[in-house]
Amino acid sequence: MGFLRLHAHFNVHSGHLCYGELHNIWQGALAEPSYGLTAVQPRVAGTVMTHKLDHNVSALNGTWNAFRLIDTTESRLTGWFVANESVDVLQEADKILRVSGSPNEEDSGSQYNDEKTMKEGVLVINRYDWGLYDKRALDVVGEDEFNPYTFAPRIGAGLVDYAEAKAEVMFWKNVPEDDRAEEQRPNGLWLDIPQNEYSFGRFGFDDKRSAARSFLFFGIQTVFRQTFIDGIQQPLRKYETHEERFQRRLQEGFDFRGMETLKMMAVPSRLGSSPADGDLLGPHTNDERLFQKADFAAFLRRNAKNLGFVDPWRDRVEFLLNELLMSYFERYILPLDRSFATILSAAQALTGQRAPQQIESRTLDFYLFQHLTQPHEDPIPDWEPAAVAARVREFLFSRSGEQLRLFSNDEYIAGLCRCLAWLIGEVLELASNEAKDNYRSNIMPVDIRIAVCNDAQLFSIFKYSRVYWDGSE
């Protein structure tokens, strides 16, 4: 495995550290020293999220050791890990990466300061939180160092004792940036990463969250699955195949509902206004489910490209799909029986057309009209529509409160079952594509939500499902 190779060290005696580029460090020295890890809420600044930081933190006194992070594929410097001498370096680095790693890698925890990072004792610093994105004290340090029109394929930041911060800034100001990391200073250290962009930092705090004890510095091109601490020939994060990652997430209880993704996708400018709470339908009881496990198995074989459902999410996926279908029935099918006496008139009302030839080909309305009025030319193997028809009739009768004409018509009920079959087939086909695009071997609720959200026609009829929006499956 090897032994950690120490690159440099410095001393902290004031109980605080300043950090960042030169003007950030100066600003940190001007600000009142902070005490402990305090809640820092992300805020919207234009089109990005930022944290307002004072660029100083309380820190453990004593010797802080600096270790280089090396990319295994290119044998180049790709980051730094700096820690108080009392810290278990490997354990601390692993914790920080678990809580808040690179935004460019999957399963990297929180990318902003939140309740989780606060609980775990990690302060998140992102690219827009420091450097030229925070110009405080820039005029004091001087403009010549920070020419926005000059591209330098490297990033750098200083870490320095609070009491010595201004003196270190004045010293480093007269040293070319390329050479600062080579200067051994008793109370500070310059961290330089060539061939990288966009600076990120993560402070790790002690168990009481009273003082920082470590600092991780990296760029957007740092890949921790192929990066090791100098001297330790083992990547900081384990490489996983897509299937290994999926199975690990299942074991760890990862939330596959996709609620955050749905929240980001379902913006009014893209899909129109979401239904008011009073217009949402469901949830329904398990006894009301229209499709059972055997039904889903038949459609998975036909429409899901060899993908399936997996425990412990199988029942939740089936519940969500049933909720979409039942809310559609309540919203669109139940009112038809009270107004129309024939299958043709109901089909015309359902699709908003007076005649079949008025329906645009290969649209949702086209297929619903076709399946409601015409028998299946291509029966679905291993599917028993008669059992579904019995559940459909029972569901409609229970909701209508009376036995009306269309609901007693076997041909009409059979037509509704064909519509259900087409709808569930469409959703499963799109959801299977979504799952494959995300390297999942099984369909999860997030795949269904995204599939529906990405299809304007399906979204228009399924958006009235309460479970679709609240994730209570």
Side-chain angles (χ1 to χ4, degrees), residues 171-442:
F171 172 81
W172 279 329
K173 186 175 184 294
N174 296 310
V175 178
E177 186 174 1
D178 295 3
D179 300 330
R180 289 177 190 162
E182 302 304 319
E183 296 288 340
Q184 298 292 316
R185 305 293 293 170
N187 300 114
L189 178 70
W190 189 262
L191 309 172
D192 176 66
I193 310 178
Q195 302 174 39
N196 217 318
E197 296 181 85
Y198 309 140
S199 301
F200 295 86
R202 306 286 189 261
F203 276 105
F205 279 69
D206 59 16
D207 294 340
K208 295 181 180 179
R209 299 189 291 279
S210 60
R213 65 187 183 188
S214 63
F215 180 67
L216 175 65
F217 181 58
F218 61 96
I220 197 64
Q221 291 160 337
T222 305
V223 181
F224 289 106
R225 286 187 172 89
Q226 60 189 47
T227 296
F228 60 85
I229 299 178
D230 196 10
I232 305 295
Q233 302 296 317
Q234 178 177 323
L236 289 168
R237 294 196 68 191
K238 178 184 176 183
Y239 172 79
E240 296 175 304
T241 65
H242 296 302
E243 182 60 22
E244 287 172 341
R245 174 173 170 264
F246 178 61
Q247 293 299 328
R248 175 179 56 77
R249 282 180 155 191
L250 284 175
Q251 293 176 6
E252 293 176 351
F254 183 84
D255 186 353
F256 283 103
R257 293 178 303 162
M259 303 312 298
E260 287 299 318
T261 304
L262 178 63
K263 182 179 179 181
M264 290 187 293
M265 292 180 65
V267 292
S269 60
R270 180 175 177 269
L271 295 170
S273 300
S274 301
D277 186 73
D279 292 329
L280 296 177
L281 300 166
H284 305 82
T285 67
N286 287 336
D287 293 339
E288 294 177 298
R289 292 188 182 188
L290 302 179
F291 273 55
Q292 303 295 332
K293 294 186 185 299
D295 302 308
F296 286 118
F299 283 92
L300 285 169
R301 285 190 291 270
R302 175 185 169 117
N303 298 95
K305 303 173 183 177
N306 298 319
L307 271 65
F309 307 151
V310 63
D311 292 327
W313 287 86
R314 184 189 310 275
D315 193 63
R316 300 173 76 170
V317 172
E318 293 177 357
F319 183 77
L320 173 59
L321 289 168
N322 270 296
E323 284 295 319
L324 296 180
L325 298 177
M326 290 186 285
S327 65
Y328 167 70
F329 262 40
E330 278 201 83
R331 176 81 183 185
Y332 295 101
I333 302 301
L334 275 172
L336 297 179
D337 196 89
R338 299 185 177 95
S339 305
F340 302 96
T342 67
I343 297 175
L344 179 61
S345 61
Q348 290 172 334
L350 180 63
T351 57
Q353 306 294 335
R354 293 183 178 180
Q357 58 269 27
Q358 294 178 318
I359 306 176
E360 183 180 349
S361 178
R362 298 188 180 280
T363 62
L364 176 72
D365 287 341
F366 173 84
Y367 288 112
L368 290 178
F369 188 98
Q370 183 183 60
H371 289 299
L372 187 56
T373 59
Q374 301 174 26
H376 266 309
E377 295 182 359
D378 181 22
I380 299 168
D382 302 320
W383 184 50
E384 298 294 337
V388 177
R391 291 191 290 269
V392 166
R393 180 179 279 111
E394 183 177 352
F395 177 79
L396 294 174
F397 281 158
S398 68
R399 295 284 161 169
S400 66
E402 53 185 320
Q403 293 193 14
L404 302 174
R405 289 169 296 183
L406 279 176
F407 293 171
S408 300
N409 186 320
D410 290 342
E411 290 187 22
Y412 179 64
I413 296 297
L416 291 179
C417 288
R418 293 192 294 269
C419 290
L420 284 181
W422 182 79
L423 287 171
I424 206 69
E426 284 295 295
V427 173
L428 287 177
E429 182 173 351
L430 294 174
S432 67
N433 291 337
E434 187 64 33
K436 287 193 172 185
D437 287 346
N438 287 276
Y439 307 105
R440 284 189 284 270
S441 56
N442 289 274

Side-chain angles (χ1 to χ4, degrees), residues 10 64-67 80-84 159 189 191 213-215:
F10 66 96
W64 282 58
N65 297 319
F67 305 92
W80 292 86
F81 190 73
V82 189
N84 183 273
L159 201 60
L189 178 70
L191 309 172
R213 65 187 183 188
S214 63
F215 180 67

Side-chain angles (χ1 to χ4, degrees), residues 14-28:
S14 68
H16 295 84
L17 281 169
C18 295
Y19 60 88
E21 294 189 12
L22 297 185
H23 64 290
N24 301 142
I25 296 173
W26 193 276
Q27 174 59 35

